[in-house]
Each structure stands twice: as structure tokens, then as C-alpha cells.
């Protein structure tokens, strides 16, 4: 486990979000409609004629944790870079905090950690933040560095040199940097990389605390179980386009798990695929997109194929993700393409 103080100490933020709900929409008194803190309209980016992001449309409301999911090469990191003004879009438009980009004022209240953060290894964690604080807008208060370190769970190791930090601790230092200016929007690219299970759980608590106090947290991650527990809403991206968007629980569905003898699996798959969506699940099971286990059992029984076990269960976000981003057994996107 990382040698540091737990993430998730109480966070002091500028907003009163006592009426924020877990559906991801801030419901403050007197506010008639949710406020969009991130919006993309037809956002595209091409490299040498190949589209990394292809007409992406997205709207993210305030005071929520929003997951941005997709396989390698689907355009997640490129989208974040365009939102931060690090990459110029080929076409389309984007807005942050209600301001059309590029706009320095729109970025002034945005914190970000894109890919693995880089720091001066011979400086302490605290000194790195103090040096980086000299660039950009002024800090919101005099103890902003100390507060960011505390929120990231690094107070006990803040005066150690970064070269002694583990990968998870460097990720936490990147999180501290993103939170240092009390942002209204935080963009985090794979923030849980290198964190052990205890640190991931503490990270979840910190992100929820931020959202409950009015901050929009926009994060990408391959840890789908964590995303399902943490995020109010998610968008799934494939080949540079949003292919699904909604609450995690609404993106999952009832499926029938069929456990078979290896000798019967191919025949069973052929029979079931004629009527239902079917996907392999491990070496001895099929997942069938039917809410009725009896119909599956009768179809197999009439053909003389007998399953060891048939049960109805609810698919998880990982199943939904694979269904949305897989075509003919191949994951959409190219791991060598721009992310």
C-alpha cells in the first residue's frame, strides 16, 4: 500500500451543493435547469487523414462524477487534450464552464491530470506544487498547497523527494496539482493507475466529496468496476464517437448465463445466436441477451442440448462496454492510434 495519508479528508470548496443528487444533476434552490460545464458539438481531430475523434457530441452537467470510457485508440485522451487547448480541433466546437474554447478564462477554473503526471524528481512533493503554483492564475488562498496535499492523502510524505514516490503516490501528487486552484471542473485521464485497492477506495471517496460540493469530475478509466461504483453518468466512446451515454445502472441489462459441457458449446451457441444476442463468457459459459431463462432452456432442450446450469443475472458495466465497443470479436479502436 502507498506510504501516505488516506485520500478523502474533508474538502473545502466554494459551492454549497447540499441539494445535489446521485443522478448527477445539481438541484440547488431556485435553479430551473442543470448547468452544462462541458459541451462538445461535432468535435473532430484527424492525424494524417485518420480520425482520432470523429464528430463527438457530449454534454456534461455540473456537480457530478462523469466517466468517459472507451478502448485504446478511441479518442478519449485526444478529446481531453482538445478541451484543455493542448490540441487544436480539426472541426467542431467545445465549451468549458459555459465559454467557447479556446478561452483562457474558461480554463482558469479547470484542474487536469492527463496521462501520467511528470514532476521534478529531486524536489519534494510540496516543493513541486509550490513551483508549479508560480505559473497560471493565483492560488485561491495561502494554504492551497497544503490543502491540496491533504486532499490527495500526501501530507505525511509531502517533504520526501518525488524520486522516492511509488507510481500511485505520483498519481496522487498529480491529483493534488489538479485540485490546487479549487477548480469547478476536474479532468482526469486514468487517475487510478498504480493505486492499490485501499488508495482506489479513498480516491472514490474524494471524488464523491468533490461532486457533492459542486465540482464536475470528468474522468477516463479502464477500471470499469470502479467506474460503475463511482460515476453518476458515463459515455462510451468507440472510433472517436459516443456510442452510448447514461447512468451506469441503465446501461446494464438482464442476461441469461448458460454453463455447458465443452463438447456442447459450439452447437448451443449456434442455436441460441439464431434468436438472441450471444457472447462467450469464459471457457464454459455463454451470456444470452434474453431475460427469460425458460425460453433459453426450451430452445436448447428441443435440440437435445442440455446445460449444466442456466440462470438469469444482471450484466455489469464491463459486459455493456464490451458489447458496445466490440465488433465480430475485435475491440473497436487501435492501441497504436492516438488515444
Amino acid at each position: 500500500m502507498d506510504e501516505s495519508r488516506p485520500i478523502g479528508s474533508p474538502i473545502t470548496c466554494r459551492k454549497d451543493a447540499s441539494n445535489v443528487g446521485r443522478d448527477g444533476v445539481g438541484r440547488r434552490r431556485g435553479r430551473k435547469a442543470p448547468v452544462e460545464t462541458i459541451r462538445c458539438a461535432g468535435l473532430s481531430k484527424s492525424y494524417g487523414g485518420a480520425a482520432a475523434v470523429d464528430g463527438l457530441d457530449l454534454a456534461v452537467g455540473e456537480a457530478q462524477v462523469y466517466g468517459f470510457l472507451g478502448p485504446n485508440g478511441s479518442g478519449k485522451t485526444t478529446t481531453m487534450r482538445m478541451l484543455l487547448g493542448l490540441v487544436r480541433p480539426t472541426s467542431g466546437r467545445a465549451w468549458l464552464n459555459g465559454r467557447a474554447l479556446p478561452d483562457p478564462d474558461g480554463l482558469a477554473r479547470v484542474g487536469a491530470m492527463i496521462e501520467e503526471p511528470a514532476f521534478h524528481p529531486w524536489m519534494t512533493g510540496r516543493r513541486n506544487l509550490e513551483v508549479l503554483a508560480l505559473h497560471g492564475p493565483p492560488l485561491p488562498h495561502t494554504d492551497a498547497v497544503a490543502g491540496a496535499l491533504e486532499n490527495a492523502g500526501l501530507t505525511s510524505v509531502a517533504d520526501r523527494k518525488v524520486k522516492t514516490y511509488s507510481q500511485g503516490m505520483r498519481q496522487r501528487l498529480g491529483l493534488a496539482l489538479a485540485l490546487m486552484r479549487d477548480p469547478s471542473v476536474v479532468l482526469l485521464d486514468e487517475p487510478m493507475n498504480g493505486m492499490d485497492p485501499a488508495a482506489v477506495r479513498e480516491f472514490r471517496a474524494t471524488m464523491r466529496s468533490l461532486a457533492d460540493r459542486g465540482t464536475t469530475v470528468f474522468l477516463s478509466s479502464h477500471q470499469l468496476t470502479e467506474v460503475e461504483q463511482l460515476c453518476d453518468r458515463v459515455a462510451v466512446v468507440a472510433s472517436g464517437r459516443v456510442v452510448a451515454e447514461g447512468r451506469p445502472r441503465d446501461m446494464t441489462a438482464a442476461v441469461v448465463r448458460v454453463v455447458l459441457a465443452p463438447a456442447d458449446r459450439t452447437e448451443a451457441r449456434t442455436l441460441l445466436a439464431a434468436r438472441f444476442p450471444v457472447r462467450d463468457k469464459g471457457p464454459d459459459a455463454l451470456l444470452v441477451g434474453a431475460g427469460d431463462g425458460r425460453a433459453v432452456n426450451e430452445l436448447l432442450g428441443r435440440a437435445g442440448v442440455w446445460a449444466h446450469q442456466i440462470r438469469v443475472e444482471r450484466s455489469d458495466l464491463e459486459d455493456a462496454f464490451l458489447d458496445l465497443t466490440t465488433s465480430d470479436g475485435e475491440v473497436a479502436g487501435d492501441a497504436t492510434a492516438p488515444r
Side-chain angles (χ1 to χ4, degrees), residues 58-292:
L58 188 67
V60 180
E62 66 176 349
Q64 63 177 309
V65 182
Y66 195 99
F68 195 48
L69 313 179
N72 289 340
S74 60
K76 304 185 302 298
T77 301
T78 301
T79 299
M80 288 190 173
R81 287 181 174 277
M82 286 191 285
L83 289 172
L84 293 169
L86 301 174
V87 172
R88 184 183 297 275
T90 303
S91 61
R93 302 186 68 190
W95 293 259
L96 272 177
N97 290 322
R99 293 176 176 269
L101 299 178
D103 184 336
D105 291 334
L107 293 172
R109 299 302 298 277
V110 176
M113 182 174 69
I114 305 300
E115 299 181 325
E116 186 172 344
F119 296 99
H120 298 291
W122 61 89
M123 290 183 183
T124 66
R126 187 188 310 278
R127 186 56 180 159
N128 265 278
L129 295 190
E130 290 171 346
V131 170
L132 291 167
L134 300 175
H135 305 276
L139 296 182
H141 41 80
T142 56
D143 60 349
V145 169
L149 288 165
E150 182 176 0
N151 290 334
L154 288 176
T155 299
S156 64
V157 296
D159 296 312
R160 281 174 45 183
K161 292 183 178 181
V162 169
K163 67 180 182 180
T164 69
Y165 283 14
S166 67
Q167 182 186 6
M169 292 165 69
R170 292 194 301 272
Q171 291 291 109
R172 293 190 188 202
L173 189 58
L175 176 62
L177 177 60
L179 299 179
M180 190 167 59
R181 287 188 167 85
D182 191 19
S184 60
V185 182
V186 181
L187 275 63
L188 303 173
D189 187 20
E190 299 290 347
M192 291 176 276
N193 281 354
M195 290 187 184
D196 61 42
V200 168
R201 183 170 64 180
E202 293 155 3
F203 171 83
R204 282 203 313 264
T206 299
M207 296 303 100
R208 282 258 50 95
S209 180
L210 285 168
D212 291 345
R213 287 162 173 78
T215 301
T216 299
V217 179
F218 184 78
L219 63 87
S220 71
S221 178
H222 285 108
Q223 299 188 31
L224 300 183
T225 301
E226 298 301 330
V227 168
E228 190 167 11
Q229 294 182 60
L230 172 61
C231 292
D232 301 294
R233 299 184 72 85
V234 299
V236 179
V237 184
S239 301
R241 292 175 175 268
V242 174
V243 295
E245 196 277 346
R247 296 179 298 181
R249 65 176 177 270
D250 294 337
M251 299 179 71
T252 60
V255 294
V256 178
R257 181 187 291 266
V258 182
V259 181
L260 300 134
D264 294 330
R265 178 171 171 156
T266 299
E267 183 180 359
R269 199 184 201 291
T270 301
L271 289 167
L272 293 169
R275 284 189 54 186
F276 307 109
V278 178
R279 185 160 59 81
D280 297 327
K281 187 69 172 179
D284 61 351
L286 301 171
L287 288 183
V288 184
D292 186 355

